[in-house]
Amino acid sequence: YDTYSVIINSSKDLDNISKIGAIIDHYHNGNEVHILATKSQYKTILNSNVNIKKIDNKARQYYLELIEETRDSDNPMRDYHNYNELTEFLQNIASNYPSITNLTSIGQSVQGRELWVLEISDNPGVNEFEPEFRYIANMHGDETVGRELSVYLIDWLCSNYGLSDRATDLVNNTSIHIMPSMNPDGFELGQRNNANDVDLNRDFPDQFQDPNNFVNGRQPETRAVMEWSNQHNFVLSANMHTGALVVNYPFDGPNSGSYSACPDDDLFVDLALTYSENHQDMYTESPFSQGITNGAQWYALFGGLQDWSYLWTKAFDVTLEQNEVKWPNQNLLPGLWDENKEAMISYIERVHGPSVRGQVIDANSGLPILCSIIVEGNENVISNDAQNGDYYRLLTPNTYQITFNSIGYESQTQSITIGDSAVILNIQLVIDESLSLANIENFESQSFNSYNWQFSGNEDWQIDSISAEGLYSARSGNIGNNQLSEISVSIFNSEPSQISFYKKVSCENVGSQSGNYYDYLAFYIDGVEQEKWAGEIDWSFSTFPLSSGEHNLKWAFIKDQGVSSGQDATWIDFIVMPGNPSDFCDISSDGELNIIDVV
């Protein structure tokens, strides 16, 4: 990739640059944007009558100067830490502060360098009853400020533990995870991308262009971060960049220049302001109002870390652009720490700010149970920690209706008013006794033999190991364009009742907002469509009323003639049928299961 300056006329030009695969690298306002492009991409832009010219890569130039000036020095790169120095620093910290640190490698880079993560906590390595926080830096190898600020922050937290109330409180009450360099190869090579020349902040699953939350096909650095994140319940997070002075928050797509609000938009504005207001210059000196911006309104990108973190791991993640110069002179680093120190510490502290938190347990046994926490009017559903049962739902000051759902338990809804601090709300869920006499199909038999399931369409449904509860569920058949996969069952209930089930959807999301669906899961009662779902929907519960008498229940996954997206599949599980197990198949109501029922 070479660096170019492009004069744009509208936000559509930004989208066109992204569509051809060029990387938008630096864009504040006005009409000039800096991009990274291959020679063929450069020619494509040039042929579209856009003003484009090659410019110097100043970060690369300074990197080469440092390498040359310190070639025979015992202090390579001066105040910057190269890979060996960073490794030595982290190992020394872990050795000097063993009671509050845990140094691990979550994987290796393309060239075999360790991807170091340092946990700082009063019980490191232990899944405690406290929120988990994450900082990731240097995912772009030539954006170096965050890498060094991570070193300063680690030193401040460890050296002040037991001496400063602020540092001590943070370490005692938070599990802080810091990854100083996600792209150590890029740093050593003096380039933005990793050693495979891939931009790591375009390599994550993306809701608009790549909604497959799979690690397969990702770069080793991306895979490591995804797997590490999935092993934790990070509540709050940020990834550190340079090239601007602003906090960028979700969503990052789909269209440049258009505000793309996520369900927690008000919270993300609050989180972004937490950083910018505590920065020495960002709030007042940034070219962006208040030092913050919505990602897509700035410029659209796809495959970014912050959107992936929010959508698939439920961590509230923002992108920190901490300095306008990518690779500033090494003698400026202490001053940059002074500018960012209060903001970096305050941002961690926000995990203990306005929120609701507590533990969800079984009312009878007192044991933790896995639970979905749903804020009324907000489609972003989080889960608690499966081991401890603790949850942390960041919010802005207001009054909320919050529902706690767990399979096999009665739902519980609480009204809670959030002020300027965290509100403790412990929940005891009671087993739903009605389920003890219910007809439940959860496919744990690993077959469709428990009930008289019927299949139609192009491909039969199948048993799958992805489940809402237990080990198994039913998954739609592997169909192509203009095909469908249907599963149905006939039931009889002697009095008005209801049908309930969990469903999961992963397909093209067109229609999830407009109602004009292309690919979708639909549910029918007696051939009448009750509801349908599209896009990426994790396990969620649905209930529909049933009148007395015979009914046919049908679930259909339907694809149109065009786009394939996500896993192109749907699942159902834990279906609570009407009636009692003893009379479910007694269609003739004669008290016996016999040939009459079969007929």
Side-chain angles (χ1 to χ4, degrees), residues 336-354:
L336 288 170
W337 167 240
D338 289 339
E339 292 175 13
N340 286 274
K341 175 182 176 181
E342 180 59 32
M344 291 183 71
I345 297 170
S346 295
Y347 189 74
I348 302 175
E349 290 173 331
R350 178 59 179 86
V351 80
H352 298 287

Side-chain angles (χ1 to χ4, degrees), residues 47-64:
N47 291 336
S48 64
N49 295 320
V50 173
N51 188 336
I52 181 173
K53 64 178 181 179
K54 188 174 181 180
I55 59 175
D56 293 331
N57 185 331
K58 294 182 180 179
R60 176 73 178 173
Q61 288 179 343
Y62 184 60
Y63 158 80
L64 294 174

Side-chain angles (χ1 to χ4, degrees), residues 97-102 119-124 157-159 161 171:
Y97 302 95
S99 65
I100 61 169
T101 61
N102 179 39
E119 179 189 3
I120 305 176
S121 173
D122 58 339
N123 288 294
L157 286 167
C158 293
S159 63
Y161 181 72
V171 174

Side-chain angles (χ1 to χ4, degrees), residues 3-7 32 42 46 50-55:
T3 305
Y4 298 90
S5 171
V6 179
I7 303 301
E32 182 183 13
Y42 161 72
L46 186 65
V50 173
N51 188 336
I52 181 173
K53 64 178 181 179
K54 188 174 181 180
I55 59 175

